[in-house]
Amino acid sequence: LNDPARMKVLVCGRRWGKTVLSLMYLLKDAFQPNERRWFITPTYRQGKMIVFPLLRQMFNSFPDAKLNESEMSVTFDNGAELAVKGADNENNLRGVELTKCVMDEMAYIKPHVWEEIIMPMLATTQGECLFIGTPNGYDTMYDLYLKGQSEPEWNSWQFKTVDGGFVPEEEIELAKRTMDEVVFRQEFEASFETTGNRAAWNFDRDIHCVKAKELS
């Protein structure tokens, strides 16, 4: 949360605590007058079922906040807004200015939502974004994770489910014994895996791909 990177990418196992940390990210700094912060989930339904109930619990008795159930938003006395949005109707997201944003389960959000819609909304404020979620193969989340390993203003991290402390180790061991090995690594160890349509079922790019020392 305190890392200075403007764009942060967190790749985490299931039940790691992603939603709580994302809300902490959005709430940790004081809201300036009329600023806007969004929590974007892959679908409107996910935001309504998972994220907004937490916001309601936080601000239901907060005297300086007004809850709007239909808009899934909290508005403060100074005009600032914190809202939950779904990326499934992405054109409804266009046209406003953001200062801070969470893109939750980014592996399940269409790539152009970030590139064409959200990134320009952060441009005028030089705003920040947190991408967070569990891997789903070598997709957009993987590309963003690599940006965090190399590009300025970006940083990225990888955490297993056990690192979050919310799931007992014996439950994780049970899942390991029960689940397919590749699926377990993806879901509980936050590992980027190719989970389907492989010509070679045991291909592992960390083992079988070697970077050339020289390019001819």
Side-chain angles (χ1 to χ4, degrees), residues 191-207:
S191 173
F192 292 101
E193 303 284 338
T194 304
T195 56
N197 299 321
R198 286 200 291 193
W201 65 270
N202 60 345
F203 173 80
D204 185 330
R205 79 170 58 196
D206 292 331
I207 298 172

Side-chain angles (χ1 to χ4, degrees), residues 14-213:
R14 298 283 292 276
R15 312 307 303 165
W16 179 80
K18 298 185 293 292
T19 303
V20 173
L21 183 129
S22 297
L23 287 171
M24 290 170 63
Y25 169 80
L26 290 173
L27 294 167
K28 81 179 188 71
D29 301 314
F31 281 80
Q32 301 303 311
N34 301 313
E35 76 163 299
R36 187 178 285 109
R37 303 180 189 182
W38 281 1
F39 193 125
I40 301 175
T41 56
T43 67
Y44 174 89
R45 183 176 175 83
Q46 283 174 287
K48 188 171 185 178
M49 290 177 60
I50 299 169
V51 185
F52 190 69
L54 290 174
L55 280 184
R56 187 192 298 117
Q57 185 179 353
M58 288 178 180
F59 292 105
N60 204 23
S61 58
F62 196 79
D64 299 323
K66 180 181 177 182
L67 280 166
N68 187 318
E69 295 277 343
S70 61
E71 295 291 330
M72 293 199 296
S73 67
V74 181
T75 306
F76 302 98
D77 280 353
N78 65 357
E81 178 194 76
L82 174 62
V84 182
K85 301 290 181 179
D88 45 346
N89 194 354
E90 63 266 31
N91 288 324
N92 287 346
L93 303 176
R94 294 177 180 269
V96 299
E97 184 180 85
L98 293 177
T99 54
K100 191 178 274 194
C101 177
V102 167
M103 300 197 74
D104 184 37
E105 296 297 353
M106 185 62 198
Y108 299 94
I109 295 176
K110 300 169 191 173
H112 78 272
V113 174
W114 161 245
E115 296 168 355
E116 299 175 17
I117 300 174
I118 302 302
M119 188 164 64
M121 292 161 66
L122 293 165
T124 53
T125 64
Q126 294 184 302
E128 304 174 8
C129 189
L130 169 66
F131 306 89
I132 192 165
T134 302
N136 185 34
Y138 290 89
D139 59 1
T140 305
M141 194 69 176
Y142 178 71
D143 295 337
L144 294 170
Y145 176 78
L146 291 184
K147 281 180 179 285
Q149 297 294 299
S150 59
E151 294 196 12
E153 292 196 276
W154 287 72
N155 206 349
S156 58
W157 301 264
Q158 221 167 349
F159 296 106
K160 299 178 181 180
T161 296
V162 70
D163 298 328
F166 294 104
V167 179
E169 289 189 27
E170 55 268 26
E171 284 295 315
I172 296 172
E173 284 301 315
L174 175 62
K176 187 175 184 178
R177 294 194 302 270
T178 306
M179 297 173 66
D180 174 83
E181 182 181 352
V182 172
V183 175
F184 172 81
R185 288 200 302 265
Q186 174 177 282
E187 300 298 322
F188 284 90
E189 297 187 340
S191 173
F192 292 101
E193 303 284 338
T194 304
T195 56
N197 299 321
R198 286 200 291 193
W201 65 270
N202 60 345
F203 173 80
D204 185 330
R205 79 170 58 196
D206 292 331
I207 298 172
H208 302 114
C209 289
V210 179
K211 186 176 181 180
K213 293 180 180 178

